[in-house]
Amino acid sequence: MHPFSFTKVSDTREALDAGRDGGRYIAGGTTLVDLMRETVERPGTLVDISALPMREVTVTRRGGLRIGALVSMAEAAAHKAVRALYPVISEALELSASAQLRNMATIGGNIMQRTRCTYFRDVSADCNKREPGSGCAAREGVNRTHAILGTSEDCVATHPSDLAVALAALEADVHLLGPAGERTVPFADFLLRPGSTPNREQALRPGELITAVEVPAHPRPLKSGYLKVRDRQSYEFALTSAAVALHISRGVIREAKVAAGGVGTVPWKLPAVERQLIGKRPSNALWAQAAEHAADGARPLQHNRFKVELLERTVERQLRIVGGGK
Ligand code: SF4
């Protein structure tokens, strides 16, 4: 591990001052400390923001949900309002990591976590994300777990967060605070596709902090859930996953929110699947027909062609679980 200095701040002004001077924010530290040990990350200064007042979960006036950036994954997953309004968020969190990690890791840190591409974590391998311009060892290497959607010539790594898939499906916003003040970014614009700059992963400006994520109110009743397919049932990242939320009224699907994980360089929203569902009556035939569009535009690599069919089946199954049907 490279030497670094450490400072703990007690209010947002102090945090922003430290951030402006090039400090890296840290809260749970469950990603950053690992990467520092492996010398993938080498921050000169860590700024501990864990004492900042961002630990509340609140139902907004319009009936949406605001989750403070420093709420732990475990607290958010267990919160009554989260479970009642958006089970898809609780389920995505509960299927993530381990109990120990969920107690430490925060909501802000979860959406900031970095890829699990093994070449990214191996400092002897070529990796454009870690070392811009060095190449991508995964393209011709072992790429079974890599992305089939949103890839570029320069990077094919998946985004690892399950929560981010649920937030993408629900069209959440990210609240930010920086030297220039507060701003809100739609979640769809917050995480960046790799393009020619895979080292740039979020639409954050220098010194900005995530203060909260906010899920808008959706028409109720809203049934939702998260399905994760992985090599083992615990403490493993998704090969494929599906976040689904459906508003069904008088037997007709009025609203459909669907996103996939484990397959995209960012959480992958599925508008073509959503369009197939709106205005139709739930049925097994409809789920199958809609899920045929889940992998539209996929560009599989040598070892991950299986993800195309697995994604379609994952989406179909989760539509059936959430929406019922016959
Ligand atoms: Fe690096 Fe991305 Fe290639 Fe993995 S896929 S080696 S993270 S550039």
Side-chain angles (χ1 to χ4, degrees):
M1 194 183 276
H2 286 252
F4 61 93
S5 62
F6 183 88
T7 178
K8 185 166 175 114
V9 295
S10 50
D11 61 44
T12 47
R13 181 47 51 201
E14 265 184 61
L16 293 179
D17 287 346
R20 192 170 25 226
D21 294 339
R24 281 286 299 277
Y25 300 125
I26 187 167
T30 54
T31 289
L32 185 53
V33 173
D34 276 1
L35 292 173
M36 288 171 68
R37 285 201 182 110
E38 290 163 3
T39 68
V40 174
E41 295 262 19
R42 300 172 202 175
T45 303
L46 289 186
V47 182
D48 181 355
I49 58 169
S50 56
L52 300 188
M54 301 173 187
R55 291 189 175 274
E56 278 194 55
V57 179
T58 45
V59 177
T60 64
R61 265 192 300 135
R62 295 186 167 190
L65 199 63
R66 184 181 168 108
I67 308 176
L70 292 174
V71 175
S72 73
M73 290 171 68
E75 287 163 347
H79 196 280
K80 243 175 26 187
V82 179
R83 296 186 92 81
L85 297 177
Y86 299 108
V88 63
I89 294 178
S90 290
E91 291 175 15
L93 288 166
E94 283 169 348
L95 291 169
S96 303
S98 64
Q100 292 90 337
L101 287 166
R102 293 193 294 273
N103 283 332
M104 281 299 292
T106 63
I107 295 302
N110 183 289
I111 60 174
M112 289 291 291
Q113 67 181 294
R114 307 200 69 188
T115 183
R116 306 307 295 194
C117 172
T118 48
Y119 300 106
F120 171 71
R121 284 163 188 258
D122 173 359
V123 290
S124 67
D126 293 336
C127 174
N128 289 321
K129 191 182 276 298
R130 175 172 31 74
E131 201 65 54
S134 63
C136 172
R139 273 215 156 265
E140 302 303 324
V142 178
N143 46 40
R144 177 176 176 272
T145 59
H146 286 71
I148 57 173
L149 290 156
T151 57
S152 72
E153 284 306 307
D154 289 332
C155 183
V156 292
T158 52
H159 192 274
S161 166
D162 295 295
L163 169 66
V165 182
L167 295 177
L170 294 169
E171 295 159 6
D173 288 320
V174 183
H175 293 287
L176 302 170
L177 176 66
E182 294 179 41
R183 68 184 180 111
T184 299
V185 179
F187 196 75
D189 299 332
F190 180 70
L191 296 175
L192 306 176
R193 296 189 196 184
S196 58
T197 54
N199 54 310
R200 191 154 181 265
E201 296 173 327
Q202 301 92 13
L204 279 170
R205 295 174 185 157
E208 272 186 328
L209 268 173
I210 301 172
T211 55
V213 295
E214 184 169 333
V215 181
H218 290 284
R220 299 199 179 114
L222 189 78
K223 293 171 79 179
S224 72
Y226 187 72
L227 177 65
K228 181 173 181 176
V229 177
R230 46 191 165 168
D231 282 329
R232 59 178 185 217
Q233 275 305 308
S234 167
Y235 197 33
E236 183 57 284
F237 292 87
L239 289 171
T240 58
S241 70
V244 169
L246 299 174
H247 170 54
I248 302 172
S249 164
R250 291 192 216 125
V252 175
I253 301 166
R254 312 284 174 181
E255 187 165 317
K257 304 292 174 193
V258 186
V263 289
T265 51
V266 293
W268 205 255
K269 187 84 155 117
L270 297 174
V273 173
E274 294 170 348
R275 278 195 299 273
Q276 292 290 318
L277 299 171
I278 305 288
K280 312 259 178 64
R281 291 185 176 274
S283 73
N284 288 341
L286 178 64
W287 310 139
Q289 180 196 327
E292 279 176 14
H293 295 273
D296 282 1
R299 293 198 309 174
L301 302 159
Q302 188 186 355
H303 304 124
N304 67 6
R305 290 179 202 286
F306 72 97
K307 282 195 177 186
V308 171
E309 186 181 349
L310 188 61
L311 173 61
E312 291 169 356
R313 287 175 177 230
T314 305
V315 170
E316 180 185 349
R317 184 162 151 196
Q318 187 58 4
L319 287 171
R320 195 166 58 240
I321 290 169
V322 173
K326 38 193 174 317

